[in-house]
Amino acid sequence: MHWLWVLIVGAVIGAIAGSITGEKRGCLFNIIAGIIGSSIGESLFSSWGPNVAGMAIIPSILGAVIFAAVISFFFGKSK
């Protein structure tokens, strides 16, 4: 049951980060960005703020924004 919450919270964190960065890559990307962003954010900014499903929300969102920006930089669409 814990992994279900991790996926749901990861999807929400990834969706928030995607809306901040302007990325629209889908639900699977949101989940991946939320989970990887959580580990990036908690390693860079520590785990402060409210925790949901073992993820500190504010550092996780910041880490997911960083992850989405890096992915956008390397795999973004050329204009």
Side-chain angles (χ1 to χ4, degrees):
M1 191 64 156
H2 173 72
W3 287 105
L4 180 63
W5 281 111
V6 169
L7 292 175
I8 292 169
V9 172
V12 171
I13 289 171
I16 292 170
S19 67
I20 290 173
T21 59
E23 286 290 315
K24 299 203 185 319
R25 295 191 184 256
C27 188
L28 184 62
F29 178 77
N30 287 344
I31 293 171
I32 293 169
I35 293 173
I36 293 175
S38 176
S39 68
I40 291 170
E42 288 183 12
S43 67
L44 290 176
F45 305 113
S46 183
S47 60
W48 50 274
N51 286 323
V52 177
M55 295 184 232
I57 299 298
I58 297 170
S60 297
I61 292 172
L62 294 174
V65 166
I66 291 169
F67 178 75
V70 168
I71 293 298
S72 175
F73 178 75
F74 286 111
F75 299 109
K77 298 174 186 160
S78 60
K79 293 181 180 182

PDB file of all heavy atoms in Angstrom, residues 15 19 41 47 64:
ATOM      1  N   ALA A  15       3.486  16.668 -11.470  1.00  0.00           N
ATOM      2  CA  ALA A  15       2.542  17.553 -12.169  1.00  0.00           C
ATOM      3  C   ALA A  15       2.754  19.004 -11.754  1.00  0.00           C
ATOM      4  O   ALA A  15       2.697  19.911 -12.599  1.00  0.00           O
ATOM      5  CB  ALA A  15       1.112  17.118 -11.874  1.00  0.00           C
ATOM      6  N   SER A  19       3.983  21.918 -14.294  1.00  0.00           N
ATOM      7  CA  SER A  19       3.269  23.172 -14.521  1.00  0.00           C
ATOM      8  C   SER A  19       4.160  24.376 -14.248  1.00  0.00           C
ATOM      9  O   SER A  19       4.010  25.411 -14.891  1.00  0.00           O
ATOM     10  CB  SER A  19       2.002  23.227 -13.664  1.00  0.00           C
ATOM     11  OG  SER A  19       2.335  23.303 -12.296  1.00  0.00           O
ATOM     12  N   GLY A  41      15.848  16.482  -4.518  1.00  0.00           N
ATOM     13  CA  GLY A  41      15.533  17.585  -3.619  1.00  0.00           C
ATOM     14  C   GLY A  41      15.904  17.307  -2.179  1.00  0.00           C
ATOM     15  O   GLY A  41      16.429  18.188  -1.484  1.00  0.00           O
ATOM     16  N   SER A  47      15.420  17.242   4.333  1.00  0.00           N
ATOM     17  CA  SER A  47      13.991  16.904   4.360  1.00  0.00           C
ATOM     18  C   SER A  47      13.275  17.765   5.392  1.00  0.00           C
ATOM     19  O   SER A  47      13.080  17.380   6.528  1.00  0.00           O
ATOM     20  CB  SER A  47      13.792  15.423   4.661  1.00  0.00           C
ATOM     21  OG  SER A  47      14.348  15.109   5.912  1.00  0.00           O
ATOM     22  N   ALA A  64      12.128  18.128  -8.305  1.00  0.00           N
ATOM     23  CA  ALA A  64      11.424  17.749  -9.537  1.00  0.00           C
ATOM     24  C   ALA A  64      11.498  18.867 -10.575  1.00  0.00           C
ATOM     25  O   ALA A  64      11.593  18.589 -11.778  1.00  0.00           O
ATOM     26  CB  ALA A  64       9.977  17.407  -9.227  1.00  0.00           C
TER      27      ALA A  64
END
